Amino acid sequence: MDGTPGGAGRADIGREEAAASLAAAEGAAAKMRRKASSYAVYCAVYGTVIPVCTAAIGLGPFLLGLESALPVVFTTTAVMLGVILALVIYMVTRPVTGTWFLRAHTATMTAWGVLYGVTMIVGMTAFRGEPAWWIPMSIATALPFAATIVWILRMNRRDR
């Protein structure tokens, strides 16, 4: 007797169940890592397209010699909305969301929103067509996404 209820045969069943449970847990962890990687892709695309559009809004009318910024604003806004829609569809089709996702996404989007708001409001009122404002601030709007990508990659490495 090995001290388990049901004798020695029962211990083998317990090991098999434990092995199956561990395999299932590893499968779930792999799905979570893929989901984290999906969000890193989301952040990479968002953090690239949106700052480019931001710079286009601020510098486009100046570079194109337009008196009104509206055509550039409408065009870049349409591009941003198309990208955001595609990214939302991309994320909705991913199979698993980690418990970290809501906090990470909220923090990233809040930080981006503040930077984007400051960039647009101050830039459109005080720095129209001024590359010294629009280029660094457009890059700054990508920083929350870059920070989130770094955090996700570190989190995934630590979990392996």
Side-chain angles (χ1 to χ4, degrees):
M1 287 298 245
D2 63 358
T4 60
R10 180 77 178 132
D12 290 334
I13 293 172
R15 287 186 191 115
E16 290 171 7
E17 288 175 2
S21 295
L22 287 173
E26 181 54 40
K31 282 185 179 180
M32 297 299 278
R33 284 191 291 274
R34 283 193 302 274
K35 180 62 177 186
S37 298
S38 299
Y39 191 59
V41 169
Y42 172 96
C43 287
V45 172
Y46 202 107
T48 302
V49 172
I50 301 303
V52 169
C53 289
T54 302
I57 289 171
L59 296 173
F62 171 74
L63 295 174
L64 297 173
L66 301 174
E67 290 190 26
S68 173
L70 289 180
V72 174
V73 170
F74 289 145
T75 303
T76 54
T77 300
V79 169
M80 287 192 297
L81 290 175
V83 168
I84 290 168
L85 178 61
L87 288 171
V88 167
I89 291 168
Y90 171 74
M91 287 304 293
V92 168
T93 60
R94 299 307 116 193
V96 180
T97 301
T99 56
W100 53 267
F101 177 77
L102 183 60
R103 287 188 308 268
H105 185 65
T106 301
T108 303
M109 296 309 285
T110 300
W112 168 78
V114 169
L115 287 168
Y116 184 76
V118 168
T119 299
M120 296 306 291
I121 292 169
V122 174
M124 293 305 264
T125 57
F127 298 107
R128 283 184 180 250
E130 192 62 49
W133 171 263
W134 288 100
I135 292 172
M137 290 306 290
S138 293
I139 293 168
T141 63
L143 294 178
F145 300 103
T148 302
I149 291 169
V150 168
W151 177 76
I152 288 170
L153 294 176
R154 284 187 177 173
M155 179 179 66
N156 275 350
R157 280 198 193 114
R158 184 183 66 222
D159 288 345
R160 289 183 185 183

